Amino acid sequence: MFINRNLKKWTIKLIVLSAICLFFSASFTYKPLYTSNQNCYFLPGYYNAGQGLANDWIAKNRATTMSAAPIFHKITYLTYRYLHPNFFYLFATFFYAIYILCLIEIPFKFLNINKSKFLYYLCATVLILVHNTPLNNYIEKFSPILKPDLLYKGVATFYMLNNYFQPSTCNVLFLLSILFFLNKRYVYAVVIITLIVSIHPAVMSLGLSLGLSYIFIIYLEKKDWQYCLKLSVMAGLLVLPISIYSFIAMIPPSKEIYNQVLNIHCLYRASHHHDYRVWLDIGVFIKTGLIVVCLFFIRKSRFVFVVLIPFIFAFIGVLIYIITGNITISFLMPWRVSILIVPLSSAILIVGCLYYLLTKKILSDRYKHVLVFIASILLVIGSYYGITDTLKNLKQSISKNSIKYIMQKIRDDRSKGMCFLVPVKLQEFRLYTNTAVFIDYKTPANDYLGFLEWYERLKLSESFYDSKDLVEALRSLKL
């Protein structure tokens, strides 16, 4: 009898959690394969798996030189080699599930409040609606800044989760790490951080600041510096391989080339991430205010340091960069920690506000069933529009009125060894058509000298498409 009752309880819980994940996945939507950064990060695995592009210079360069995310490239290689590209949608769904379940659960641990079924359902509904992509797109038409994704995206156009699978998607595991930490599974929490950093070395600064917050809180609780030291040493040893790899990959041929490459990358190719003059806007101040309010809200909790230490780290980094203009700080991007503390702060405030409204009887128990009904309707409507949006995105791949249709014809009719000169922003052309391209904006070479050649090719291609004289344009390409 006890076993049956327990089995029934876990079955119901599994159904509820699965429903939350499905509603979130439908609302957040999916982008088709070879969207944006996928073209850059999938290329080495695609090439090494023997899918094609043997005559593509950039593909060969990224596949045969030291890369920024070697473990992720191995994941894409294995997927292309032994599975199917559609598995990338499945991988995205897996991280969607971790993200929303952790984002709902963590605030209850932070605030140490009772998790009633009604409150849990309301919090899940609000968080799912905040992440509803069609809703965000609609509100953006009227207010480009004050839209719901302000609550879960970081500064400098960084984010923890986007509508497709890429290395930064693995940053979702930071939330899982925090959940383990709040449940006093300290070793698991630290190991997960090292796993994320190994897959996506660009977030090493976030891993470091979050790890320091863990150690600080553990010391406050246990007063055991030896245990803290053991955790620190373990973390250091686990990230040592990727740290050495990244250090070697970053060794420049000369200081001049190092400065030249970083200036091109930070001030031209990815200025929206690196240059504060581009990304520092009213949205940044709103998100900063959101974090400060959250810190005040949880100031009495010992877990406040999970938000406070990364926030201080980012704030000091931004100030130093603005004052000194140091290009290396710009490249390291300490403000990237916002991908974690912005959605975490928002979730804590949302759950805290809903809990306050319920405990103060502002949301009366008499209207509980009405609220559940309204929340359910909103979830269904949001999911419907989300599914419609996803299908629309996928349908663009075969629409005769889109560039994707032309690319599909090229993919079907291409000649072996052909290389196309395409507009530099048409980054999906290479992988979608399985055809070599002269150059594109999204995918630079890995090594320093290759990067400079990529930049030279990029300028030649832009000059060609900007020219009004075809003969002069061909001359500019040295053809």
Side-chain angles (χ1 to χ4, degrees):
M1 183 66 71
F2 173 76
I3 294 175
N4 289 336
R5 191 161 54 246
N6 227 16
L7 181 62
K8 182 180 179 181
K9 175 185 174 182
W10 280 103
T11 302
I12 293 173
K13 188 173 183 178
L14 180 62
I15 292 172
V16 170
L17 296 180
S18 299
I20 289 172
C21 296
L22 288 173
F23 276 118
F24 179 81
S25 298
S27 296
F28 196 61
T29 74
Y30 297 84
K31 293 286 181 66
L33 273 179
Y34 311 131
T35 294
S36 190
N37 291 336
Q38 286 185 331
N39 297 285
C40 177
Y41 288 111
F42 283 18
L43 188 56
Y46 186 93
Y47 180 90
N48 287 328
Q51 299 293 304
L53 303 176
N55 63 320
D56 190 289
W57 169 72
I58 281 289
K60 184 176 181 180
N61 176 279
R62 292 188 68 85
T64 57
T65 56
M66 299 183 77
S67 67
I71 294 178
F72 184 85
H73 294 157
K74 184 61 68 174
I75 293 171
T76 57
Y77 162 77
L78 293 172
T79 304
Y80 279 118
R81 186 76 175 82
Y82 300 107
L83 298 173
H84 189 275
N86 285 339
F87 271 83
F88 293 125
Y89 293 114
L90 185 62
F91 298 160
T93 304
F94 172 74
F95 286 104
Y96 281 14
I98 293 177
Y99 176 81
I100 189 60
L101 294 179
C102 290
L103 203 61
I104 297 170
E105 189 71 26
I106 288 173
F108 288 98
K109 299 284 185 181
F110 252 92
L111 302 171
N112 193 27
I113 57 180
N114 294 323
K115 188 172 61 176
S116 68
K117 293 178 182 178
F118 178 56
L119 178 60
Y120 188 85
Y121 185 71
L122 282 184
C123 294
T125 301
V126 173
L127 286 171
I128 290 172
L129 290 175
V130 163
H131 290 78
N132 186 277
T133 300
L135 177 63
N136 277 281
N137 292 338
Y138 180 76
I139 295 176
E140 188 175 17
K141 295 177 181 178
F142 305 98
S143 175
I145 296 176
L146 298 175
K147 54 180 182 171
D149 69 6
L150 194 72
L151 300 176
Y152 67 87
K153 287 189 176 181
V155 305
T157 67
F158 281 121
Y159 42 77
M160 177 174 287
L161 191 67
N162 208 344
N163 313 83
Y164 51 89
F165 180 64
Q166 58 176 320
S168 62
T169 310
C170 301
N171 297 338
V172 165
L173 296 176
F174 278 120
L175 292 173
L176 185 63
S177 171
I178 291 173
L179 192 57
F180 273 113
F181 180 78
L182 297 176
N183 286 311
K184 298 186 181 299
R185 303 293 183 91
Y186 301 137
V187 174
Y188 292 139
V190 171
V191 168
I192 290 172
I193 288 179
T194 63
L195 174 64
I196 302 165
V197 170
S198 298
I199 295 173
H200 192 208
V203 293
M204 198 171 289
S205 59
L206 173 53
L208 176 63
S209 60
L210 186 61
L212 287 175
S213 71
Y214 288 174
I215 297 300
F216 187 72
I217 294 170
I218 293 170
Y219 182 76
L220 290 179
E221 288 182 348
K222 292 178 173 287
K223 303 296 182 183
D224 186 350
W225 67 268
Q226 290 183 326
Y227 181 75
C228 295
L229 181 62
K230 287 178 183 178
L231 274 181
S232 302
V233 171
M234 180 192 72
L237 291 174
L238 288 174
V239 298
L240 186 61
I242 193 64
S243 299
I244 294 174
Y245 178 94
S246 299
F247 176 77
I248 294 173
M250 284 295 295
I251 297 176
S254 68
K255 186 176 180 181
E256 291 75 18
I257 291 178
Y258 172 81
N259 289 328
Q260 188 178 357
V261 167
L262 256 64
N263 273 285
I264 293 171
H265 177 76
C266 296
L267 304 180
Y268 172 72
R269 179 183 177 269
S271 60
H272 56 292
H273 289 324
H274 297 273
D275 189 352
Y276 76 92
R277 292 167 297 185
V278 176
W279 58 257
L280 189 62
D281 57 13
I282 186 64
V284 174
F285 293 102
I286 293 173
K287 291 171 184 179
T288 303
L290 188 76
I291 296 167
V292 171
V293 171
C294 176
L295 288 170
F296 179 79
F297 198 66
I298 60 174
R299 65 191 183 282
K300 295 181 180 179
S301 170
R302 66 185 184 280
F303 298 128
V304 66
F305 297 105
V306 172
V307 178
L308 180 60
I309 290 178
F311 176 68
I312 293 173
F313 179 85
F315 190 76
I316 292 174
V318 172
L319 284 181
I320 293 175
Y321 172 49
I322 291 175
I323 294 170
T324 65
N326 187 284
I327 197 67
T328 301
I329 295 177
S330 171
F331 180 74
L332 294 175
M333 301 172 295
W335 45 88
R336 195 165 191 159
V337 304
S338 62
I339 65 168
L340 174 64
I341 57 178
V342 169
L344 186 59
S345 299
S346 299
I348 291 171
L349 290 175
I350 288 171
V351 173
C353 289
L354 288 173
Y355 177 74
Y356 177 82
L357 293 174
L358 288 174
T359 53
K360 296 298 182 181
K361 302 298 182 181
I362 298 173
L363 292 177
S364 175
D365 289 342
R366 291 183 302 171
Y367 304 113
K368 185 179 293 186
H369 296 296
V370 176
L371 288 172
V372 169
F373 177 76
I374 293 172
S376 301
I377 293 296
L378 290 174
L379 278 179
V380 171
I381 293 174
S383 298
Y384 169 77
Y385 281 104
I387 292 171
T388 302
D389 193 62
T390 296
L391 293 175
K392 182 181 177 182
N393 289 334
L394 297 178
K395 191 177 179 180
Q396 285 179 357
S397 301
I398 58 174
S399 170
K400 290 187 177 181
N401 296 323
S402 70
I403 190 67
K404 290 288 181 69
Y405 177 77
I406 299 172
M407 290 195 295
Q408 185 171 313
K409 297 297 290 184
I410 293 172
R411 181 181 62 189
D412 295 338
D413 303 333
R414 67 186 176 85
S415 301
K416 189 175 181 180
M418 189 177 291
C419 182
F420 281 79
L421 177 66
V422 299
V424 295
K425 291 297 180 72
L426 194 61
Q427 61 259 12
E428 65 268 33
F429 185 94
R430 177 188 285 112
L431 290 179
Y432 190 88
T433 63
N434 191 23
T435 305
V437 300
F438 179 70
I439 204 66
D440 76 275
Y441 182 83
K442 180 62 71 173
T443 312
N446 282 329
D447 60 305
Y448 284 90
L449 297 179
F451 187 93
L452 293 177
E453 183 177 345
W454 164 83
Y455 183 65
E456 183 180 349
R457 286 184 175 217
L458 198 69
K459 288 301 180 184
L460 287 172
S461 183
E462 287 179 335
S463 175
F464 173 82
Y465 277 100
D466 289 341
S467 177
K468 296 180 180 179
D469 186 336
L470 180 60
V471 175
E472 186 61 33
L474 291 172
R475 284 176 182 166
S476 70
L477 286 174
K478 303 176 182 179
L479 295 177

